[in-house]
Amino acid sequence: MPETATRTRRCRDCDGFPTAAITTGRTAPDGTRQTIKVTCRTCHGTGTASARTREAARV
């Protein structure tokens, strides 16, 4: 029986983890740390990249 699942292409830059939370070093008045959310610029936060995007990222 043929396999029908297609293999997704992970982004080369983020390796499939497109979003990261980075602490700013400051704390909020309630004592929690302030964070900013950063997304991968190559895959735009999807975690996958097309072959064309991957080729463009190499240059």
Side-chain angles (χ1 to χ4, degrees), residues 8-44:
T8 59
R9 299 178 187 192
R10 276 191 273 162
C11 176
R12 178 175 76 95
D13 293 337
C14 67
D15 199 30
F17 296 96
T19 307
I22 301 172
T23 61
T24 61
R26 296 184 179 175
T27 55
D30 63 353
T32 59
R33 294 215 178 248
Q34 293 180 343
T35 59
I36 56 173
K37 188 168 120 180
V38 180
T39 58
C40 177
R41 292 186 287 172
T42 303
C43 66
H44 303 288

Side-chain angles (χ1 to χ4, degrees), residues 1-6:
M1 180 178 263
E3 196 171 314
T4 58
T6 59

Side-chain angles (χ1 to χ4, degrees), residues 41-54:
R41 292 186 287 172
T42 303
C43 66
H44 303 288
T46 62
T48 60
S50 65
R52 180 175 291 169
T53 306
R54 290 175 68 181

